[in-house]
Amino acid sequence: MPSEKILEQKKQIVAELTEKLKSACAGVIVDYKGINVADDTKLRRELREAGVDYFVVKNTLLSRAAKEAGIEGLDSVLEGTTALAVSKDDHVAAARILCKFAEKNKSIKPKAGFVEGKAIDVAEVENLSKLPSKEVLVAQVLGGLNAPITGFVTVLNGTMKGLVVALNAIAEKQSA
């Protein structure tokens, strides 16, 4: 039986982990078995630069924290070595970085993930990783909204140009 001090530490870890899961907009659970220190350092740096928290976590503690955070359906993947990457702002950053890293380095394998409190499987994590960032999506939407206006201005400009050419021809004809 674990001592009271150890149980309190574990309860504190679960509480902190639950808070991270609740405040995150998205996260990815990975199997990191066999990764070397250099690759792990490179991965952690890339995740940190993107604003993603990445840490190794015990499966039982993550399972309890996920239940407390209201995320169901992750227990089936919580076995073996487990690390968690969570992002508070960008829904695709963790998935994009980890899936891209997994293509080059076979020691990292995505297991599952979550978006806005809903569990997603590996296929959905890979689909999420292929989405552009939020800024690119906003730019695409604004470009789509701007296209009709640009077309309208072009048409008006062409009509005005035609009118000016016609008036100029009439003026030249009358002066001759």
Side-chain angles (χ1 to χ4, degrees):
M1 188 78 178
S3 70
E4 192 66 34
K5 183 178 178 184
I6 293 173
L7 284 176
E8 279 302 314
Q9 288 175 343
K10 288 184 178 183
K11 285 180 184 177
Q12 180 65 28
I13 292 169
V14 168
E16 290 172 6
L17 194 53
T18 301
E19 189 56 39
K20 283 188 180 200
L21 292 174
K22 283 181 179 178
S23 65
C25 63
V28 178
I29 300 169
V30 296
D31 182 356
Y32 65 92
K33 189 174 187 176
I35 192 168
N36 62 38
V37 175
D39 288 339
D40 189 50
T41 304
K42 181 180 173 186
L43 176 62
R44 286 176 185 264
R45 183 181 318 111
E46 192 174 347
L47 288 165
R48 189 173 37 252
E49 288 171 357
V52 177
D53 289 335
Y54 177 78
F55 45 91
V56 173
V57 63
K58 289 190 173 195
N59 292 322
T60 54
L61 299 180
L62 180 56
S63 175
R64 290 182 185 184
K67 281 186 179 111
E68 287 183 24
I71 303 171
E72 299 293 328
L74 296 177
D75 287 341
S76 62
V77 298
L78 296 179
E79 55 188 37
T81 56
T82 302
L84 177 65
V86 293
S87 176
K88 292 181 180 180
D89 302 322
D90 192 349
H91 289 76
V92 299
R96 185 176 354 102
I97 293 169
L98 288 169
C99 287
K100 186 176 101 181
F101 192 83
E103 288 175 4
K104 298 174 188 170
N105 191 330
K106 298 301 177 194
S107 57
I108 291 277
K109 284 191 310 192
K111 293 181 179 182
F114 64 92
V115 176
E116 298 295 338
K118 304 283 188 250
I120 59 174
D121 62 8
V122 179
E124 290 172 306
V125 169
E126 289 173 1
N127 287 340
L128 185 65
S129 73
K130 294 173 185 166
L131 286 176
S133 68
K134 182 179 180 181
E135 293 80 17
V136 172
L137 287 173
V138 168
Q140 289 174 346
V141 168
L142 290 177
L145 292 174
N146 197 20
I149 296 169
T150 305
F152 183 65
V153 168
T154 304
V155 167
L156 285 179
N157 193 21
T159 305
M160 295 293 284
K161 185 177 179 183
L163 180 63
V164 169
V165 169
L167 289 175
N168 193 21
I170 292 170
E172 285 179 7
K173 187 177 180 183
Q174 287 181 352
S175 67

